Amino acid sequence: MRNKYRKPTTLPCNAGSRCSTSLVLWSLLGFLLFLHLYSYICNRDTNGEESRLHVSHHPQFRELQEVEEENIQVPPPKGKRSPRAEKRRPKPKRPTTLIDEFLDENSQMRHVFFPGLKRAIDPTQAAGNDSYYYYPGRIWLDTDGNPIQAHGGGVLYDKSSRTYYWYGEYKDGPTYHAHKKGAARVDIIGVGCYSSKDLWSWKHEGIVLAAEETNETHDLHKSNVLERPKVIYNEKSGKYVMWMHVDDANYTKAAVGVAISDTPDGPFDYLGSHRPHGYESRDMTIFKDDDGVAYLIYSSEDNSELHMGPLTEDYLNVTSVVRRILVGQRREAPALFKHHGIYYMITSGCTGWAPNEALAHAAESILGPWETIGNPCIGGNKMFRVTTFFAQSTFVLPLPGLPGSFMFMADRWNPADLRDSRYVWLPLIVAGPVDQPLEYSFEFPLWSRVSIYWHRKWRLPQGWSRFK
């Protein structure tokens, strides 16, 4: 008699077929995913290796990557400290730091951060010499011998004239406080413009967007705020378009202003201001991608996050598309650039005029998601690295003919005398893997390391291509 509870020793034909098919499909899917990942990693490694080989090919590249240290000791207190430095010191008193000394206009170390009559460039070098030296933090003079006034700005390369144009805040006026608790400020004078063929010798082209002297309701009335002007060219309209942060003296307007010109050296016509996407906008920049689409990136929500979105085809407004990035991280002073199809960005923290630590970020799509990949600063000493060499990012300029190499542009703000704020331009190189493992997304991106090297004196490699 057959036992009705006995289990069959083989699977039915249909069930076995389904199991075999599923197993084959899952195996095939896993194999395809493995191939995708392997190809992705090899491609990234190849790109990174190409950058490393290029960087190491030229002797002066190795010179740029030499780590220079700074051994700076804080001297014992001597005499009266400035109110700004005393206000920063919490109670009970803690040891004085280099940041305190930086903010103290009476500090014995003032010459370290703001050298006296030394120039940012070497005027003894012969014209036509490719080996121009940069001296970060020193006074930088234009071709007429006057200090350059282009703070918080950026550089446009004009293909038609094969000329670089540097725009920035013209702050050649007295520093004051609008009220007791107000930040240090200079009345709006306008946007300064300088031109150069070699990124070293700069001719003053004048103030290309001037302040409004009499109309107190105008965005650009001298009592208001104009910061971080950036200019891009629109091939379709033939216009040069300037975006900037405009505000009132109390920083409550929090808007962007737009101006246009037929030529890169102006004058620019001011079109008006608005809050992009209906949000507050303070520190900002614009970025033009390889496909001609331009983007606005700005600090918003009381500087707690960044917003970004594409501009309209004429570059005069934003579209309805907007993304919130670095939410809750309190970052400002964004400076974007692109390398091997990957978008990178340098930002600073929000500490007013006091310097702080820069962070580098990376993304496969400009609209995100963005991932923080660490402090890019190398050299100096620990305090130099956590203060971005006592400066704040403003722009990153690709260097033609040098793949993976960029000019990092930053401002060393002098809150005691803003007109005497200095420029810190340093080599930025994208090459090699990041120092620390990251929590990668599903596609396992392997970001290249972003490195900004400190140098007291440096030069671009001889024979670098000045033009794109």
Side-chain angles (χ1 to χ4, degrees), residues 22-74:
S22 299
L23 183 60
V24 170
L25 289 176
W26 278 110
S27 299
L28 180 60
L29 180 60
F31 180 70
L32 291 175
L33 286 173
F34 173 79
L35 285 179
H36 173 75
L37 176 60
Y38 180 78
S39 173
Y40 192 93
I41 292 174
C42 288
N43 182 57
R44 288 293 181 82
D45 285 347
T46 300
N47 288 340
E49 186 64 27
E50 287 175 356
S51 296
R52 287 191 293 274
L53 286 173
H54 183 88
V55 166
S56 62
H57 178 70
H58 200 293
Q60 287 187 35
F61 270 113
R62 294 194 293 271
E63 179 180 307
L64 294 183
Q65 295 180 93
E66 291 178 358
V67 177
E68 294 188 25
E69 300 295 338
E70 297 285 352
N71 184 19
I72 299 176
Q73 302 295 326
V74 177

Side-chain angles (χ1 to χ4, degrees), residues 89-106:
R89 290 168 63 91
K91 306 298 182 182
K93 290 185 177 181
R94 56 170 173 76
T96 301
T97 68
L98 281 178
I99 295 181
D100 294 315
E101 297 294 340
F102 175 83
L103 294 173
D104 182 6
E105 56 263 40
N106 298 327

Side-chain angles (χ1 to χ4, degrees), residues 125-349:
Q125 293 173 334
N129 188 340
D130 284 337
S131 298
Y132 300 133
Y133 284 94
Y134 296 92
Y135 297 82
R138 292 189 186 179
I139 296 172
W140 199 339
L141 305 181
D142 63 23
T143 53
D144 294 325
N146 299 312
I148 292 175
Q149 293 288 334
H151 309 285
V155 173
L156 166 77
Y157 174 66
D158 184 57
K159 293 182 179 180
S160 61
S161 62
R162 297 168 70 86
T163 303
Y164 295 94
Y165 289 89
W166 179 10
Y167 306 89
E169 305 161 35
Y170 201 88
K171 289 187 174 295
D172 193 18
T175 298
Y176 69 95
H177 296 262
H179 50 82
K180 187 175 181 179
K181 295 185 178 180
R185 56 162 288 125
V186 171
D187 280 344
I188 295 179
I189 297 174
V191 177
C193 175
Y194 297 82
S195 64
S196 175
K197 295 290 187 178
D198 57 16
L199 292 178
W200 186 84
S201 178
W202 294 92
K203 175 187 176 183
H204 187 208
E205 300 290 350
I207 296 176
V208 295
L209 180 67
E212 169 60 45
E213 294 288 336
T214 58
N215 183 1
E216 295 184 0
T217 65
H218 197 281
D219 286 340
L220 304 186
H221 184 261
K222 61 183 181 180
S223 64
N224 290 326
V225 172
L226 186 165
E227 295 176 336
R228 300 192 168 268
K230 304 292 189 297
V231 176
I232 52 177
Y233 179 65
N234 189 302
E235 283 81 2
K236 293 182 178 179
S237 66
K239 300 288 186 181
Y240 295 85
V241 184
M242 178 188 295
W243 284 68
M244 70 213 82
H245 168 213
V246 295
D247 226 315
D248 54 32
N250 296 319
Y251 284 84
T252 60
K253 184 179 180 66
V256 291
V258 182
I260 60 172
S261 174
D262 292 327
T263 58
D265 56 356
F268 281 76
D269 297 320
Y270 187 71
L271 302 181
S273 66
H274 64 278
R275 283 191 167 184
H277 311 106
Y279 291 103
E280 294 178 341
S281 174
R282 292 188 172 87
D283 274 14
M284 49 67 61
T285 193
I286 47 178
F287 174 80
K288 183 177 177 181
D289 209 344
D290 301 332
D291 59 3
V293 178
Y295 297 81
L296 172 68
I297 303 92
Y298 57 96
S299 296
S300 193
E301 299 297 298
D302 197 26
N303 287 350
S304 65
E305 61 193 45
L306 293 180
H307 292 179
M308 64 167 51
L311 302 182
T312 54
E313 286 192 6
D314 57 11
Y315 299 170
L316 301 182
N317 209 331
V318 293
T319 68
S320 60
V321 178
V322 60
R323 296 289 186 272
R324 301 168 61 217
I325 65 171
L326 308 185
V327 176
Q329 297 188 34
R330 297 195 60 78
R331 308 302 296 175
E332 63 179 11
L336 273 77
F337 58 103
K338 188 178 182 181
H339 177 60
H340 280 157
I342 300 298
Y343 299 89
Y344 296 92
M345 177 168 58
I346 307 294
T347 64
S348 83

